[in-house]
Every structure is written in structure tokens, then in C-alpha cells.
Amino acid sequence: MEPPSEPLQLSPAVRAFVEAQRVARLATIDPAGTPHIVPICFVLLGGRCYSVVDEKPKRSARLQRLRNIEEHGAATLLCDVYSDDWGRLAWAMLRCHAEVLGEGDEGYAQALEALREKYPQYRTMDLDGRPLIALTPVRAGSWGVEDRTA
């Protein structure tokens, strides 16, 4: 997927909803065309979402999500809230141009700083030099977000 020429402007309600979420689901497509989805910690900074490959144990440093992004350049980020009161259900889906950033790339240092601010657990982890996923929304959809008050 090609990067957008102009950043997508999220509605204030969608932006606030996405910013309020602590976790999202990142969907990518593997080389066989099979969906691959994982929960991620992320931050919305400017017009992009960022997620770092942190120090939590992983089977391999060469994660499937990174390979998928490098192969296809596309991903979808889903933020949602479930409630047994179905009148409070809500979700926002961002279809994105995706890329993997390395230390020194534009936005890398600022994204790590914002991630450390949002997640205290990251403050004690050595994240410098680790791959950072940058997601630039090209389309957004939502349900139940515009009506939310909290």
C-alpha cells in the first residue's frame, strides 16, 4: 500500500476514542494471504499510530507482523470496547499504510517518548533501537463512537 499524500483527519470523536484505548488489535496479511492479528500497545501521535516491539518474551525477534508489513505495507488497527450493556458497545477501525521504522527514522524518538508516557511499563525497558511500527490511517470506520460520552 502506498503512503497517503495527505494524512487522514480523524473526527474528534474517533480520535478521542482511539487515544483513550490501552490496547488495540493489529491485523496484517501474511505472504499466503492469511490474516494475522495480535493485540498491541500503541499511541496515537499526530496523525499516526505507533507500536514498538518491546522486551516482553517472544519466540523470535523477527516477528510475523513485521514481515507482513514489510511485504504488504498495509495493516488494520481495531480499537473496541465491550460491555454487557450493548448500548455501550463501540469500535473504531483504521485501515492504514504501515511501515517499520528504525532508530534515527523520522518520528522514531518522539513515538518512543509518547509510548513511555502512556505505558509506565515501558519506562524501565530498553526500547531504543527496537523496531517501531508506524501506521498512517487512510480510511476510518466506527460504530457507537460518536454517541459515547465516556
Side-chain angles (χ1 to χ4, degrees):
M1 174 183 281
E2 291 297 315
S5 57
E6 291 290 321
L8 179 70
Q9 297 297 314
L10 300 176
S11 75
V14 168
R15 183 174 191 72
F17 180 80
V18 170
E19 286 176 331
Q21 305 314 305
R22 304 290 295 162
V23 67
R25 286 92 180 128
L26 175 68
T28 59
I29 301 293
D30 74 13
T34 304
H36 179 264
I37 187 165
V38 293
I40 63 166
C41 294
F42 74 100
V43 67
L44 178 58
L45 181 62
R48 299 173 96 184
C49 293
Y50 297 92
S51 179
V52 68
V53 176
D54 60 37
E55 291 182 331
K56 290 189 300 292
K58 298 175 179 47
R59 284 187 223 155
S60 164
R62 194 72 191 114
L63 299 177
Q64 184 69 50
R65 70 191 93 156
L66 299 177
R67 294 192 311 264
N68 294 348
I69 287 169
E70 289 168 349
E71 175 77 20
H72 295 286
T76 297
L77 189 71
L78 176 68
C79 299
D80 66 302
V81 171
Y82 178 81
S83 173
D84 286 333
D85 172 0
W86 285 10
R88 297 188 49 76
L89 298 175
W91 57 263
M93 181 174 55
L94 307 178
R95 295 188 186 253
C96 302
H97 166 75
E99 59 187 311
V100 178
L101 303 181
E103 194 168 26
D105 287 337
E106 184 178 342
Y108 184 92
Q110 297 84 354
L112 282 187
E113 183 179 325
L115 283 160
R116 286 183 173 121
E117 185 175 318
K118 183 174 180 178
Y119 300 100
Q121 300 88 333
Y122 282 161
R123 295 176 194 159
T124 60
M125 289 186 185
D126 182 13
L127 302 177
D128 296 322
R130 291 185 167 267
L132 183 74
I133 297 170
L135 303 164
T136 305
V138 294
R139 284 195 329 245
S142 65
W143 184 85
V145 170
E146 301 291 334
D147 301 329
R148 291 182 68 85
T149 57

